């Protein structure tokens, strides 16, 4: 049975791939300023808005209610006073930052009961899109067939400058991005406006916002109330301004009405936001590398660190709070990669790609397509050549940025140590020290030496003895470093705690710099960073440039030889994806309903898995079925799924109905969908949204922060 399902899936995806880039309306992340290619499909699917309602540069439109939140997520405006919804996991860093043993907002949640109680969030930004213009012809002007990579590069950078100048002249106060889409087959000039005074208004308790933890992450059926609430502030002219008590709530050009009516299976559904990255054009060579080497290595690293974190975080509330955001960051991708591995293997993604490549090659061999005939061979060579370097580089990132923290931390002292005399001569020494001290205070706030040591003990031998050398043999036995080995490094290090570091920084002299330069973590960090930056990175970026150059032509060949609807891989730019509210049939004999209810929360809680903990108040409200105006047929709907093609970055994106009203907040995909960044299977790929009725129920009934509802436009 499994085999026949797999065959069916394979057939389906073969159809997709051989039609090259897209056949079904559901796959794809559409550029809102270029919707004409899919607008008819959207209408046919049930959309009741005009193209201009979705995106307009002269009048307000839906796009004016959507922001890039904190550089990597999406948020949406839900009131005329700048009130914003995003995911709990998108606001997590801020919630964690404001949490302490006395104010455990991670656990208990947080609600500002009036504007004065909202929490300032330094460093948090939200970015609006003012306009996005297709500047492909201008960026590629002057490029001719047969030009070399260097020649093309030179033309693109010359053109980029011209386009940039023009845009900057016209919009001197606004931000500008000139972004390449699909390896440079399209270019867009994106004019942006970024607000920097954003405050935390509310966060549900962890039992809602992170309900299900790692057990349920990337999994359906799901019961997570993954939302948090912020407010954007502006100066008196509604313009961006640094935090000030004189700032006033931002007045948006558009905000989303919130629809608390029934959501039915088959309803039109659309997600509007900033998907981060997809790779649907990758060749079989890259997919093979990802599934056989890169994913297994990264999972291996994180298996180890997460095992340590699990034990440590359960042992102490202090450690739990300190490491909550770090743990989430590590665990999120770790679990996604595992789902991706299963999905891509089950569907035999490499074989699917190979089949498509055979067809591509046949067409490329025909007259008129000669330019594309040699590409696959060249791509294979480059991908293969890059493998070892890529692995080493990814291993470095895993170890230094997601493993023990002292290497990266110590490395930040390099300028101070190496340029001590220059800094001093120029009078820049004290400012440099002060800056490092500020960073150090933040660092130690969330640092626990025993946790750090345990992570080091597990990861250091893996890195040093295996992955830093490019070995991928999964059976290679790796020792765990014993306490004596670990202590010998940490206990003598200046960086082990803030006391020893600040003692040195408070009276920092040339001899302090010398002492620091001999510290194990500093020395090791210099060696590792030099190896990475001087030996690994340059070659790798050259090869990557070459690969992108080849991929640009390969993709151009697809557009020409397999004419079909075309969509550009996600690249953190504003996109719309549409589909239906629907469940799925992930495996033979299994049916996923499209929604979950609070009864499921109680049922999961009864399993006693700590990821499903539920505080007394929630238990009581659910048991008494106190659902307020948010019930449907006597049930409180919690999450629902749809066939919207989403990815990371769509976290926090509004889930909209046919009229552009908010019915949910997108936050995840099902386990079977995690492969959709590479191969999208419309039969089983589903995005997961938290039902907006559950969001309002938490705000209103659970948290009694119902005053927030007064500023929203609630419709049915
Ligand atoms: N939960 C996902 C993440 O954290 C976001 C949405 C998605 O990738 O589908 O990356």
């Amino acid at each position: 049975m499994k085999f026949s399902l797999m065959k069916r899936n394979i057939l389906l995806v073969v159809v997709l791939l051989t039609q090259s880039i897209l056949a079904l309306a559901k796959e794809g992340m559409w550029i809102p300023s270029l919707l004409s290619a899919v607008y008819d499909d959207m209408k046919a699917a049930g959309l009741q808005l005009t193209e201009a309602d979705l995106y307009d540069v002269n009048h307000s439109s839906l796009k004016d209610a959507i922001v890039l939140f904190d550089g990597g997520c999406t948020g949406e405006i839900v009131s005329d006073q700048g009130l914003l919804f995003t995911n709990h996991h998108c606001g997590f860093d801020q919630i964690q930052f404001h949490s302490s043993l006395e104010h455990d907002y991670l656990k208990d949640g947080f609600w500002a009961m009036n504007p004065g109680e909202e929490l300032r969030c330094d460093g948090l930004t939200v970015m609006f899109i003012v306009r996005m213009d297709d500047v492909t012809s201008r960026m590629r002007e002057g490029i001719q067939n047969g030009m070399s990579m260097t020649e093309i590069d030179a033309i693109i950078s010359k053109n980029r400058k011209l386009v940039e100048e023009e845009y900057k002249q016209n919009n001197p106060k606004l931000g500008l991005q000139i972004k390449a889409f699909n390896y440079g087959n399209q270019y867009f000039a994106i004019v942006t406006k970024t607000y920097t005074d954003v405050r935390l208004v509310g966060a549900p308790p962890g039992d809602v916002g992170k309900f299900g933890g790692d057990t349920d992450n990337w999994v359906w059926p799901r019961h997570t109330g993954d939302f948090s609430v912020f407010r954007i502030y502006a100066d008196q002219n509604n313009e961006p301004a640094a935090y000030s008590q004189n700032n006033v709530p931002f007045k948006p050009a558009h905000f989303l009405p919130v629809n608390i009516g029934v959501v039915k299976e088959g309803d039109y559904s659309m997600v509007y936001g900033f998907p981060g990255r997809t790779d649907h054009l990758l060749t079989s060579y890259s997919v093979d590398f990802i599934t056989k080497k890169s994913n297994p290595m990264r999972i291996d690293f994180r298996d180890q660190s997460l095992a340590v974190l699990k034990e440590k975080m359960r042992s102490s509330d202090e450690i739990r709070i300190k490491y909550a955001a770090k743990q989430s960051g590590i665990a999120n991708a770790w679990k996604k990669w595992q789902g991706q591995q299963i999905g891509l293997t089950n569907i035999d993604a490499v074989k699917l790609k190979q089949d498509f490549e055979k067809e591509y090659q046949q067409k490329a061999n025909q007259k008129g397509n000669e330019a594309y005939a040699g590409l696959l061979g060249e791509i294979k060579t480059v991908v293969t050549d890059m493998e070892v370097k890529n692995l080493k580089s990814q291993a470095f990132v895993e170890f230094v940025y997601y493993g023990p923290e002292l290497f990266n931390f110590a490395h930040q002292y390099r300028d101070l140590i190496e340029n001590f005399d220059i800094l001093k001569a120029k009078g820049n020494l004290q400012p440099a020290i002060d800056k490092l001290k500020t960073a150090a205070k933040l660092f130690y706030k969330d640092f626990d030496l025993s946790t750090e040591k345990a992570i080091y003990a597990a990861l250091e031998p893996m890195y040093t003895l295996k992955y830093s050398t490019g070995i991928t043999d999964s059976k290679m036995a790796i020792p765990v470093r014993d306490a004596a080995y670990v202590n010998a490094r940490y206990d003598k290090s200046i960086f082990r705690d803030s006391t020893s570091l600040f003692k040195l920084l408070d009276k920092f002299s040339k001899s302090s710099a010398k002492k620091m330069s001999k510290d194990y973590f500093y020395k090791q960090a210099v060696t590792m960073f030099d190896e990475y930056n001087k030996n690994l990175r340059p070659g790798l970026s050259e090869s990557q440039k070459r690969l992108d150059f080849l991929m640009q032509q390969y993709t151009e060949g697809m557009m020409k030889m397999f004419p079909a609807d075309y969509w550009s891989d996600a690249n953190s730019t504003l996109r719309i994806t549409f589909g239906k509210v629907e469940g799925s049939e992930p495996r033979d004999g299994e049916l996923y309903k499209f929604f979950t209810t609070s009864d499921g929360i109680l049922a999961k809680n009864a399993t006693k898995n700590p990821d499903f903990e539920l505080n007394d108040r929630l238990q009581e409200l659910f048991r008494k079925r106190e659902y307020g105006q948010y019930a449907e047929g006597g049930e409180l709907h919690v999450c629902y799924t749809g066939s919207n093609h989403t990815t990371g970055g769509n976290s926090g994106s509004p889930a909209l109905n046919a009229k552009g009203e908010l019915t949910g907040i997108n936050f995840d995909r099902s386990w079977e969908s995690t492969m959709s960044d590479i191969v999208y299977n419309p039969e089983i790929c589903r995005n997961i949204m938290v039902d907006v009725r559950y969001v309002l129920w938490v705000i209103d009934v659970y948290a009694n922060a119902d005053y927030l509802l007064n500023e929203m436009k609630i419709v049915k």
Side-chain angles (χ1 to χ4, degrees), residues 87 89 217-218 222 226 332-333 336 646-652 666-670 677 686-688:
N87 287 150
H89 79 263
N217 198 14
W218 302 105
R222 191 64 164 278
D226 197 344
N332 193 38
K336 181 179 84 169
T646 52
T647 187
N650 272 127
S651 288
N666 181 74
F667 71 95
D668 210 4
R669 279 168 282 166
S670 64
D677 293 348
R686 296 291 175 266
N687 65 313
I688 304 179

Side-chain angles (χ1 to χ4, degrees), residues 393-406:
S393 145
Q394 288 177 2
F396 170 82
V397 169
E398 283 303 314
F399 183 57
V400 171
Y401 294 105
Y402 295 97
E405 295 181 276
L406 281 200

Side-chain angles (χ1 to χ4, degrees), residues 14-15 38 65 73 119 136 150 208 258 300 387 392 399 410 419 474 517 547 558 610 643 651 700:
V14 167
V15 170
V38 284
C73 278
L119 296 174
T136 312
T150 328
V208 170
V258 178
D300 196 9
E387 280 200 355
K392 286 182 176 180
F399 183 57
N419 299 318
S474 61
S517 74
L547 185 58
M558 280 190 193
S643 47
S651 288
D700 181 359

Side-chain angles (χ1 to χ4, degrees), residues 73-94:
C73 278
T74 304
E76 55 275 4
I77 319 287
V78 291
S79 88
D80 65 354
Q81 293 163 57
L83 197 68
L84 176 151
F85 284 168
T86 186
N87 287 150
H88 183 262
H89 79 263
C90 295
F92 201 72
D93 283 355
Q94 301 300 334

Side-chain angles (χ1 to χ4, degrees), residues 286-301 337 340-341 387 390-392 394-395 398 467 472:
S286 295
V287 177
D288 192 59
F289 170 71
I290 291 170
T291 47
K292 298 220 179 80
K293 296 184 175 157
S294 157
N295 274 354
M297 178 192 73
R298 295 190 294 182
I299 293 168
D300 196 9
F301 267 111
W337 292 328
Q340 209 175 56
Q341 287 293 94
E387 280 200 355
N390 247 332
L391 277 173
K392 286 182 176 180
Q394 288 177 2
E398 283 303 314
Y467 291 128
T472 52

